[in-house]
Every structure is written in structure tokens, then in C-alpha cells.
Amino acid sequence: MIEIGDFRISRVEEVVLDEPTDLLGGLDDSIIAANRDWMVPNFYSEERHVLYSMIHCWILRRGDRTIIVDTGGGDDRDRPLSPRFHMQKRHLDRGLAAAGVDFEAVDTVFLTHLHVDHVGWNTRLEGDRFVPTFPNARYLVSARELEARDPGRGAASKPPASWNTYLDAVKPVLDAGLVDVVEGTESLGDGLDMIQIPGHAPGMMGLRVRSKGQEAVFITDVMHQPLQVLYPQWNSKFCENQDMARETRAKVLKHAADEGALLLPSHYGRPFCGFARRDGSGYRFEPAPDVL
Ligand SMILES: [Zn+2]
């Protein structure tokens, strides 16, 4: 567990995925050789020549508040376009329960964006239909993301198979009246503020946590790999707006270095989070203490 003033942050893992190195444009063997001392073994496998991507759920607690940040890929999903998330049985729900999360008591589910690996456990299969996993929570969803994924609006021209994530993980919580549509500029109360970090996804949002002089920022997919702290011009192949993704990454890194803020991304290997420290004209990655 990490403490940021009065807040406690923990994580529950769904799966570790092998990520081919073509995830990052620009990554080649010389870069890996130059960085192997800190990339191996937590971020890169030399044996198999792959990067590691965690899929996990962050849990943020203070007092009696429980906030879940993103909900993984989900089980039992029909994902013909995303084989890594197709019809899986990874049981993230059991992991959350084992971590002491009372599903009825979760008050907020903060969805950074609506990609397949961030919204799965919004819902769970009950009989033949998907129902909200956290029945008393407010699910916070970006207006821009909702517009982009809705088959009746921004996703109308996309193939129907790409609508599945929306239909089984987003629509059921909308239909249940559990969604608050937000802009990404709102406050969630004392010390908790949404930030707009568009690019990887059009309406992507982060969450800034401040308490007692400390700061952490849930930055989700602003960077998929810690190498991007050193090479911030590199996007992942999944970034939807490449120029905007670079612009957002530059802003986030500058802020993190200026403020000494802990960066909490969605897919980094152990210790899953860390700091951007200034290094010459750029930055280096400093892993956080291994406490999660
Ligand atoms: Zn992601």
C-alpha cells in the first residue's frame, strides 16, 4: 500500500501480458541494450524479447470512501477484435474481494477512458446478461469518450464487433442510471481532482490526488511503458491521436518533475509506479519503493 497524506492506494492485478516491442515506435535493440540494467527483469524479458504490460485495477481509499480507478478487461467477453480479452476467466472480482473491497461499498468508479482493457469489470455476467459489478457506485465517464464509443454516435462508422465493449461494459451501467457524465475538469472533493489528458483516447482523464503536501497522479495510458519517460516522443501503437498524445505526455512529465508527483500509470511492471526526474534536457524514470 502507498500512502499519499490521508489517502491509501493499492492495486489488484488481473493479468500480466506479453507486449511485443513494436508497441512503441522507435524501440530497437540498441535502446534495449542501453537501458537493460533497469528494464530487466521487471519491464522487459530478455529470454522472450517482450515488454510486460500489467492489467490491473487501482484502489484509492480515504476514510470510508472507496474509489476504483479502471476495471480491467473483464471475464466472459466476446472480443473478436481483441483476442487477449476474448472469453477470459481471470477472476479479477475474486482478487478485489480478497483485497477487502466490498462491492456494495464502492462509492466511485473512475473510468480514465473506455478502451477494452479499462472497463471490463464495470459489469459481471449474471445468467445471460451483464449487470453492474458495483451497484451503489457512481461511474464517472468522460462525455467525449462516451460520444466516441457510442454506436449511435461517434462509433457508428466503426465495425459492429468493435461496439461490444460499449454494449456489455458501458451500456448496462448507463441503463442502470449509475453514470455521471463528466468533462474531466471536475473535483471529487477535498484533494481529488480530475484532469484532462487527451490523445491516447479522445476524452482520456487522469485523477490528481493531493494530501498533506504529497501528490500522486493516476495517468493511465499517457505512457504504457517507463521507457517513454526517457523517450516521451514515442507513442504506443494504440494512441488514437498521436500528436495530442505527445503533447499531453510532455505536459504530464513536466508537471510530475516540477511537483515531485508520483505517477500511477495503468500498465507498468513492478513496482507499477514511479517518478519522472529531470536528467539533462530530459527525464529519467525512478521506480517507487516496491510496496504494492
Ligand atoms: Zn490501456
Side-chain angles (χ1 to χ4, degrees):
M1 186 182 72
I2 291 174
E3 288 180 326
I4 299 290
D6 295 334
F7 291 95
R8 290 164 290 137
I9 298 170
S10 54
R11 65 179 277 281
V12 175
E13 191 163 293
E14 183 174 40
V15 66
V16 185
L17 296 175
D18 283 352
E19 197 72 75
T21 54
D22 70 356
L23 173 74
L24 301 174
L27 179 55
D28 61 24
D29 288 348
S30 69
I31 302 275
I32 288 169
N35 293 283
R36 75 170 297 286
D37 59 323
W38 67 270
M39 283 177 62
V40 177
N42 288 349
F43 308 115
Y44 177 73
S45 163
E46 281 195 309
E47 293 75 41
R48 289 180 294 120
H49 193 53
V50 292
L51 299 161
Y52 292 123
S53 274
M54 302 296 134
I55 307 291
H56 56 201
C57 189
W58 290 107
I59 304 161
L60 175 63
R61 292 181 170 107
R62 178 170 64 181
D64 58 5
R65 285 204 77 172
T66 303
I67 298 168
I68 302 273
V69 179
D70 288 342
T71 61
D75 283 0
D76 311 298
R77 307 293 153 150
D78 183 26
R79 298 282 185 265
L81 303 180
S82 305
R84 300 194 293 184
F85 298 101
H86 181 68
M87 292 298 170
Q88 299 295 333
K89 293 279 187 196
R90 291 168 173 152
H91 303 296
L92 178 63
D93 55 336
R94 292 181 192 166
L96 287 167
V101 174
D102 173 356
F103 293 6
E104 309 269 319
V106 170
D107 53 87
T108 306
V109 178
F110 181 77
L111 299 171
T112 61
H113 60 302
L114 301 183
H115 281 175
V116 61
D117 53 326
H118 293 262
V119 297
W121 276 100
N122 282 359
T123 55
R124 61 183 173 80
L125 191 59
E126 187 178 82
D128 59 357
R129 62 193 198 105
F130 287 96
V131 301
T133 307
F134 308 103
N136 300 314
R138 300 308 300 171
Y139 287 70
L140 305 183
V141 181
S142 141
R144 187 82 188 76
E145 281 293 289
L146 209 50
E147 200 280 329
R149 315 301 171 195
D150 183 343
R153 296 187 285 164
S157 60
K158 301 207 170 134
S162 74
W163 301 342
N164 290 7
T165 301
Y166 177 90
L167 294 174
D168 66 39
V170 180
K171 190 168 184 298
V173 289
L174 276 168
D175 291 347
L178 300 181
V179 170
D180 286 335
V181 180
V182 298
E183 295 300 323
T185 53
E186 293 87 342
S187 173
L188 278 178
D190 190 25
L192 269 184
D193 296 290
M194 301 181 209
I195 55 170
Q196 294 179 325
I197 45 173
H200 171 72
M204 197 161 79
M205 308 186 293
L207 189 60
R208 181 175 296 157
V209 181
R210 283 179 283 198
S211 178
K212 297 186 172 167
Q214 290 183 280
E215 174 170 337
V217 191
F218 291 94
I219 60 162
T220 186
D221 291 357
V222 167
M223 290 176 281
H224 284 69
Q225 293 284 325
L227 261 182
Q228 289 170 287
V229 176
L230 286 70
Y231 303 96
Q233 70 278 21
W234 292 357
N235 285 323
S236 88
K237 63 182 180 183
F238 301 117
C239 293
E240 295 185 53
N241 183 324
Q242 298 266 321
D243 289 339
M244 202 183 284
R246 283 191 194 94
E247 204 176 300
T248 288
R249 193 173 305 115
K251 277 187 205 161
V252 165
L253 283 168
K254 180 177 185 309
H255 175 85
D258 287 348
E259 303 297 325
L262 176 66
L263 295 173
L264 300 156
S266 290
H267 302 303
Y268 283 22
R270 184 171 290 279
F272 319 107
C273 56
F275 302 91
R277 304 295 191 198
R278 289 196 193 283
D279 186 12
S281 60
Y283 307 97
R284 67 184 164 80
F285 177 64
E286 181 184 302
D290 189 359
V291 295
L292 288 168

